[in-house]
Amino acid sequence: MKLTRRKLLAGLGWAGCPLLVRSGFGTTWSAQAKSPARAAFDLDRRRAVMDRRLLGAFLEHLGRAVYGGVYDPGSRLSDENGFRKDVMAEIRELGVPIMRYPGGNFVSGYNWLDGVGPKEKRPTVLELAWNSIETNQFGTNEFITWCRMVGTEPLLAVNLGWGTPEQAAALVEYCNVEKGTRWSELRRQHGYAQPHNVRYWCLGNEMDGRWQIGHMPAREYGRKAADAARQMRAVDRNLQLIACGSSGPTMATYLVWDREVLEECYDVVDAISLHRYFNNTGETGGDTRRFVALNLDMEQQILDVIAVCDYVRGLRKARKRLWLSFDEWNVWYRARGGDGKRQFAPRLLEEVYNLEDALLVGGCLNTLLRQAARVRVGCIAQIVNVIAPLVTNETGLLRQTIYYPYAWALKHARGVVLDPLLECETYETPNVGATPYLDVAATWDEKTREAAVFVLNRDLDASRELRLEWRPAPTRVLACETLTGKDLKAVNTFEDPKRVVPQPWEAPAAAGTMRLQLPPRSYTVLRLGFA
Ligand code: AHR
């Protein structure tokens, strides 16, 4: 087999482009001769200051996410609030910076008033987004209490499906006004004297989707979102408001929706949302070489939406530049059925993740890091049981494969995102074209003088050498781990929880030039200290 060798030079400061200048030259290589890749770092060359909220997550009233995942009062593993202690400990330890709640599709049929006040008076309702039974035993106050306990910031979504801007503004008042008004006094009666001070809010969810309760045309939604934004801001001036963007590039209205919505509400919102779920079937024909490159499609989606935001900004001659909230992303295609069959906490969307999924999730995290200049919030969807890195049963907690790249990003990615120059051999994939075998992202924390490098090796058959060049040179290797394995379809289960787990990995000594041998089908993190 012959491979065409191309060099990709990346990180030359061409804002927004993942792989930047491509200088192709057509030498042919045999499959055995793997050309070493190169990543040259200058700590002064930076792409963006990273907002930690980029690495957030999502909790929806769906299946066993809330009931049985976070809240399980009957369990011996729960505390006096009914919160699962093992799940709380895990999320606290992960350091998830922000958590989106309560939906998702759920929010477009949710009456927040059903979920506050004395629990015995809360109604049990038929929930229409997932056709499940909702007991409302966990609601806004429980969520905020739980967020404080696990050390995460709430990101609340309001119902702009059948809900009204007035109900949205009332929820802001309930949460954020200290006292002396109708809704703030109701919160106080419910036992919460202090305001919750929720700063980040989503103006509805996926309103472009026909499946969404209250789905409507873009301009109608844009006007409703603008009305809600004005009323919510009248209650609290310090909000960050996220308009609903397209549910993804497969939508017939992709980008047109975003443009029309923003033409109606640009001046009163701060951000627009993006969603994306990946699969290794229709999108890729089951070709894992293509699958592990899908994060580059995610990167293109980000660039598309930035272009639309800036187009509308130009039209309006506005100074304000919107930021992006990638508030749902993950692999999701096997457990798709959305019928809760009128059950309470049914097993819905319990996707089982394998090694190749974890590799793509690592790639997606690299993409988010590279695009941190405009993407401020990101939420892996979701956090527990439903399309999630964590799974509970009656006796404990399981870390799925995708937990590990996510945990590494949370643990190691800090400070600013670096802008390396990259040279790497490529292979051809549909849509993307020349796809580098290695996908690299890196951060630098001035305070601790530590850098972290995250590398996805998309070569499924062979290890790849990456030469890291540093200016200045690092002095210590602080951490080095890799996630890999022979079987791309291997999964973790309660019976065999350690089938796909990170392995310690021997890094070369810290130096100005370091040669890494990255295993085939791997995602690797390296953390370095500088004098
Ligand atoms: O995360 C699962 C669902 O996917 C969410 O409810 C919805 O927003 C998206 O379509």
Side-chain angles (χ1 to χ4, degrees), residues 90-403:
E90 189 77 81
I91 294 173
R92 195 182 301 118
E93 169 78 17
L94 276 170
V96 178
I98 195 162
M99 190 72 69
R100 181 168 176 255
Y101 171 89
N105 297 340
F106 171 83
V107 78
S108 299
Y110 183 50
N111 182 354
W112 66 265
L113 275 167
D114 288 347
V116 294
K119 286 192 174 176
E120 63 284 4
K121 293 204 174 136
R122 298 186 195 174
T124 290
V125 299
L126 175 58
E127 184 286 300
L128 296 182
W130 303 101
N131 197 23
S132 306
I133 297 298
E134 171 59 55
T135 62
N136 284 302
Q137 293 302 290
F138 188 93
T140 305
N141 293 316
E142 287 77 23
F143 174 65
I144 304 278
T145 304
W146 180 84
C147 283
R148 305 300 179 223
M149 290 176 77
V150 301
T152 195
E153 178 179 359
L155 161 59
L156 289 185
V158 295
N159 178 351
L160 291 190
W162 65 247
T164 63
E166 291 70 28
Q167 287 167 325
L171 178 58
V172 176
E173 184 183 318
Y174 183 89
C175 288
N176 288 8
V177 171
E178 191 190 346
K179 58 183 176 187
T181 65
R182 176 180 179 185
W183 299 112
S184 62
E185 286 301 323
L186 184 65
R187 185 199 69 240
R188 290 163 69 85
Q189 269 174 39
H190 291 162
Y192 298 85
Q194 296 307 317
H196 296 321
N197 288 326
V198 179
R199 193 156 162 242
Y200 283 77
W201 296 78
C202 293
L203 301 172
N205 177 71
E206 293 188 350
M207 295 306 303
D208 59 332
R210 287 192 180 280
W211 59 88
Q212 199 68 211
I213 295 171
H215 160 65
M216 63 189 89
R219 291 203 180 274
E220 214 175 293
Y221 164 72
R223 285 193 284 269
K224 188 169 181 180
D227 185 9
R230 284 191 198 96
Q231 295 196 47
M232 291 163 77
R233 276 196 209 287
V235 178
D236 183 343
R237 291 168 51 208
N238 296 318
L239 305 182
Q240 289 287 314
L241 300 177
I242 304 161
C244 276
S246 284
S247 302
T250 56
M251 301 297 292
T253 51
Y254 179 54
L255 301 183
V256 175
W257 167 275
D258 304 73
R259 175 176 59 75
E260 292 185 352
V261 165
L262 290 180
E263 282 173 357
E264 299 296 332
C265 68
Y266 190 94
D267 299 340
V268 288
V269 301
D270 302 285
I272 189 158
S273 70
L274 296 82
H275 290 181
R276 188 76 177 254
Y277 293 101
F278 296 105
N279 68 70
N280 196 4
T281 48
E283 220 165 356
T284 60
D287 176 1
T288 298
R289 282 162 41 100
R290 171 75 185 106
F291 180 67
V292 292
L294 286 172
N295 67 298
L296 299 180
D297 301 57
M298 180 189 197
E299 204 137 344
Q300 185 58 51
Q301 184 184 349
I302 293 170
L303 300 180
D304 291 344
V305 175
I306 290 173
V308 173
C309 289
D310 292 348
Y311 169 72
V312 178
R313 172 177 178 254
L315 288 180
R316 303 188 75 80
K317 300 190 172 58
R319 290 188 61 185
K320 180 172 76 176
R321 209 183 268 274
L322 299 191
W323 52 268
L324 272 47
S325 176
F326 216 125
D327 46 40
E328 286 187 36
W329 68 268
N330 203 344
V331 174
W332 173 29
Y333 63 106
R334 289 154 290 222
R336 288 295 303 202
D339 188 0
K341 299 194 171 65
R342 306 205 169 172
Q343 288 167 27
F344 170 68
R347 283 186 184 268
L348 278 184
L349 281 49
E350 301 213 2
E351 189 88 1
V352 176
Y353 290 104
N354 62 26
L355 173 61
E356 70 187 22
D357 300 332
L359 299 183
L360 177 57
V361 163
C364 291
L365 290 159
N366 282 10
T367 284
L368 288 173
L369 289 172
R370 281 194 292 264
Q371 297 304 328
R374 286 300 281 275
V375 187
R376 185 191 289 186
V377 169
C379 302
I380 191 170
Q382 299 191 12
I383 189 67
V384 60
N385 288 338
V386 170
I387 45 175
L390 299 170
V391 178
T392 61
N393 68 9
E394 310 70 51
T395 55
L397 192 60
L398 174 72
R399 292 172 173 179
Q400 296 225 59
T401 59
I402 61 169
Y403 167 93

